[in-house]
Every structure is written in structure tokens, then in C-alpha cells.
Amino acid sequence: KNSSESLLSVNRMINIAHRGASGHAPEHTIKAYELGEKMGADYIEIDLQMTKDGELVAMHDADIDRTTDKTGFVHSFTLKELKEMDAGSWFNLESPGAAQEAYKGLKIPTLQEVFEHFGSDANYYIEIKQPDESPGMTAALIRILKEYQLIPAEREGAIVIQSFSKESLLEIHQQEPDLPLIQLLSYKQPAQITERELSELREYATGIGVNYLYLNESFIKDVREADLLLHAYTVNEKREMNALINWGVTGIFTNYPDRLSEVLGK
Ligand code: G3P
Ligand code: CA
């Protein structure tokens, strides 16, 4: 496998730092993203939520209960209010083995702050969450990507947009047809896919993202033969990483990019 090839080449296996190196540091903080880069991840994964005043922030859940010291929905707080919250201490309590003093009091970053910090050399794998709750999300995302001159992309694959919402992806595809899109699919049992579904996906998506628990060799073969990329989430054990790579996935989301780098011999 040739690392000089485009990140989205079918010959590459990409390492996606899921919510940053979130096994080692509080998810969706600059620290977690920094660690992801340091551990050899190709991409920083960012989940997006929208604040009451229309700002995009990096946050997985629709509410702040799990990852801050306060409670409530992200969309019911202004950015200023969210910035007062401690988005790091919860991790020290949850993961005492990885706890660090420096994680206490970490702040929720905005998408702009992430771009400011990591610049145009980093690669971003951005998820639009809860688009139905916050209608302006795709427009805000495109505006910010343009503001930071991340689109049109300098390098192929520098920006990837993912969502479970086909509607959001189609909206983006219509406005920015060159942006690579990953359709996230939610299977609750061993994954299967029809020719028709594959050709519908190919009309707008570069690939799909699937929970690894439901992946199987024949599904992976079908997807790859349809010329779609296949990224598996969220894989934290080396044994499982190896099995999926042997089956032909083209990317893995992991909370432990260091482990995946070791598996890939980097
Ligand atoms: O985006 C891929 C994977 O992260 C989807 O699951 O819930 O961790 O965003 P989630
Ligand atoms: Ca995600």
C-alpha cells in the first residue's frame, strides 16, 4: 500500500481518530485531536452540534450531560454559555487509568477553533449530527469551510463529510459536488446490501461508514466491487483491526489511533 496515493484511494487504509484519540483524552477537545495527529491518524474526526446562537461546536451528543459538568441540550445554550463548561474532568472520572491533571477544565472547541489550531495540513472527517434539530447546519458548515479555504480542497480527501442523514449529504452534494461524502449506515444485524442500494449510494457518496460489529466478508466484497470506500467504526482492538483489514475495509475509526498505526506498521 502506497502512502503517496490520495487518502481516498482504494489502495489506502486510513486511520481516523474517532472524536480525536478519545481513548486517551477527553473526546472532542483540542488535546484529543492533537494526540490523534501525534499517534499517526490520517484524520481528525469531528462530530458537529449547533448552539442556540448558530455556532458549530465539536460535540458528539445532542446534550452536554455526559461530557461536561452541566446538563441540557447543546441547542439550548449560547456559545458563551457552553464555553464556561468543563469538558475534560468527566474523562478523568470515567477513565482513571488515562486521567491527567491537564484535562481538567478543557473547553468545547468551535469548528473554527479546530481549523485555526490544526490548519490546512490536517485532514478533517466531519459528521453532521442532528440536522433535523438544527436546520442551518449544512449551510454553516459550507460557509466555514470556505472561510478557511478548505474547499475547494488543496489535497484530495483533505475534507470528508459524513452523516447518517442522506438528506444532509444530498444537500451538500448539490452545492459542493466535489466534496467526498460518506453515508453512515446503521445496521442492527449482519450487514447486507443490494445492487440497487449500491448504485443509489454511488450517485452521491464516495463510500459508506458501518458499525464493524455487523460487517462480514461478503458485504465488504459487495461494497468494494461497487467501487465504494468502506470505513468501519469504532474499532479499538488490534485483533479486530487486523481481521477487518484482511476483509478489505479501506478505513477504520478508532479511539486508539496508536494501536491502528502499530497494526499498519507506521
Ligand atoms: O462517524 C462514525 C461513527 O463515529 C458514528 O458513530 O456515534 O460515534 O458518531 P458515532
Ligand atoms: Ca461520528
Side-chain angles (χ1 to χ4, degrees):
K1 305 207 167 174
N2 182 351
S3 63
S4 67
E5 276 188 87
S6 150
L7 283 164
L8 302 181
S9 152
V10 291
N11 300 316
R12 283 284 291 271
M13 222 312 296
I14 55 172
N15 182 341
I16 307 156
H18 183 246
R19 313 182 193 178
S22 59
H24 296 283
E27 67 184 55
H28 292 315
T29 59
I30 297 287
K31 278 250 186 287
Y33 297 153
E34 278 176 348
L35 266 181
E37 274 204 328
K38 210 187 277 174
M39 292 176 169
D42 298 300
Y43 282 94
I44 296 171
E45 195 228 4
I46 307 170
D47 296 311
L48 288 180
Q49 299 281 348
M50 195 177 235
T51 67
K52 190 177 176 182
D53 46 347
E55 302 288 341
L56 295 182
V57 290
M59 167 84 61
H60 176 270
D61 301 356
D63 63 62
I64 56 169
D65 303 16
R66 182 177 59 89
T67 59
T68 76
D69 55 342
K70 297 280 177 348
T71 58
F73 286 103
V74 178
H75 66 68
S76 66
F77 294 101
T78 62
L79 179 61
K80 186 164 175 286
E81 288 166 336
L82 289 165
K83 280 289 185 187
E84 282 158 16
M85 297 169 190
D86 174 348
S89 295
W90 69 275
F91 178 86
N92 288 351
L93 296 170
E94 287 287 312
S95 310
Q100 288 195 25
E101 203 48 36
Y103 296 160
K104 286 189 186 164
L106 290 180
K107 300 291 172 217
I108 299 168
T110 63
L111 183 61
Q112 285 100 322
E113 284 166 346
V114 178
F115 291 160
E116 293 279 351
H117 192 91
F118 295 93
S120 56
D121 288 340
N123 306 307
Y124 303 98
Y125 200 123
I126 303 171
E127 178 171 358
I128 304 172
K129 289 268 187 211
Q130 269 83 39
D132 302 335
E133 293 284 327
S134 309
M137 269 182 108
T138 52
L141 172 59
I142 289 180
R143 179 176 47 74
I144 295 167
L145 287 170
K146 284 185 176 158
E147 192 185 323
Y148 283 82
Q149 298 177 334
L150 293 168
I151 50 172
E154 249 174 54
R155 285 162 289 113
E156 201 202 11
I159 302 287
V160 173
I161 309 292
Q162 50 164 341
S163 189
F164 285 102
S165 160
K166 179 178 177 179
E167 240 168 66
S168 303
L169 292 181
L170 288 177
E171 210 177 305
I172 291 191
H173 189 60
Q174 214 169 22
Q175 294 172 51
E176 297 293 330
D178 293 334
L179 257 184
L181 305 177
I182 299 291
Q183 175 70 62
L184 300 175
L185 296 174
S186 177
Y187 290 99
K188 299 270 181 284
Q189 52 196 353
Q192 279 187 318
I193 198 154
T194 63
E195 278 300 323
R196 192 200 167 102
E197 288 170 312
L198 289 166
S199 63
E200 276 173 19
L201 283 161
R202 253 199 323 259
E203 283 177 19
Y204 64 95
T206 306
I208 61 175
V210 179
N211 186 329
Y212 84 97
L213 289 171
Y214 304 105
L215 283 176
N216 51 79
E217 200 166 8
S218 83
F219 175 89
I220 294 172
K221 190 164 160 278
D222 290 346
V223 174
R224 296 291 314 274
E225 280 175 1
D227 274 334
L228 287 162
L229 299 177
L230 207 178
H231 299 161
Y233 61 81
T234 301
V235 191
N236 292 327
E237 300 303 330
K238 287 183 175 178
R239 186 174 42 82
E240 290 164 331
M241 292 170 180
N242 273 310
L244 290 160
I245 293 165
N246 287 334
W247 278 353
V249 302
T250 55
I252 289 178
F253 295 80
T254 179
N255 299 342
Y256 297 90
D258 48 339
R259 295 181 190 168
L260 183 52
S261 289
E262 281 170 32
V263 165
L264 295 171
K266 290 189 181 158

